[in-house]
Amino acid sequence: MIITIDGPSSSGKSTLAKLISDHFSIIHIDSGSIYRTITHLAIENKLIIDKEVQLEKLIKCLNNNIITFKRNDTNKFQICVNNEFVESKIRTTIISNNVSTVATIKEIRNYVLKLQREIAVNKSIVMDGRDIGSVVFPNAEYKFYLCASLKNRSKRRWKELKDDEKNITITTVESDLENRDIIDSEREHSPLIIPENAIVINSDDLSISQVFKKILHFIK
Ligand code: DC
């Protein structure tokens, strides 16, 4: 069984995917973490200067480092570079502000697409992202598209960031999210869209558990 959840940044996709993964005992893959890890490698190796990506060098870097998912202490599938977990390094503002640019590049998307499909071979999986139901698994059994207003998403994201990034304001978070929304939905290759046959859920007036109940109602 493949379940896809797409939607804009901070719409609650990953939280829901985790609940679905626990409920059905299936693997959860946060596909944004793959783009974030590639961006982390690019920044670490100084391959992004003023949002210009040195693509050839980045591809070489991806060929020299192995990106995989493995179970962590709490039994969740999390992303690794050369077998080391990188989760704690990929949620920073600097990565968030560069990841959408990296994700516009066709060669990078093709690399990620191959990885996403390899992970799912012979497995039941819930994967969240931007193009999962439209491009990665267009024939998935269940497809959801989660949306919420920019204001609510910004509040949610700010709460996640404020302990680690003391100076961050909601206004900054809101403008960063708006920028990412524009890049993600207007890019040429696999932009964020509502996938064909996807069930659309607006979470503005719903708690996570209410959205989860709604989703369970559709999954047989
Ligand atoms: O879900 P997230 O905010 O962690 O995703 C980070 C970025 O990765 C997002 O701005 C766009 C990109 N992305 C994508 O283009 N396609 C996906 N399937 C998942 C993420």
Side-chain angles (χ1 to χ4, degrees), residues 6 9-10 13 30-33 35-36 91 99-100 103 109 116 128-132 180 184 187 190:
D6 289 297
S9 300
S10 302
K13 304 181 299 288
D30 164 4
S31 70
S33 72
Y35 289 98
R36 285 175 179 273
R91 305 281 160 194
V99 62
S100 288
R109 300 207 70 84
Q116 286 165 316
D128 69 280
R130 305 292 187 289
D131 60 342
I132 313 302
R180 278 215 277 153
D184 291 345
R187 68 178 174 227
S190 18

Side-chain angles (χ1 to χ4, degrees), residues 56-71:
E56 245 176 68
K57 287 190 180 160
L58 181 53
I59 299 281
K60 237 189 208 164
C61 174
L62 291 178
N63 289 333
N64 290 334
N65 290 279
I66 304 169
I67 297 180
T68 48
F69 281 81
K70 70 173 180 184
R71 288 191 192 276

Side-chain angles (χ1 to χ4, degrees), residues 14 23 27-28 31 37 39-40 46-48 50 52 61 71 73 76 108 135 148 157 165 176 199 215 217 220:
S14 280
H23 186 87
I27 293 166
H28 165 223
S31 70
T37 296
T39 307
H40 160 65
K46 303 194 170 40
L47 302 179
I48 307 183
D50 292 335
E52 274 296 312
C61 174
R71 288 191 192 276
D73 302 344
K76 306 272 175 256
I108 299 294
V135 174
R157 185 83 186 120
E165 301 188 26
D176 290 349
I199 295 156
I215 285 186
H217 172 79
K220 310 236 164 34

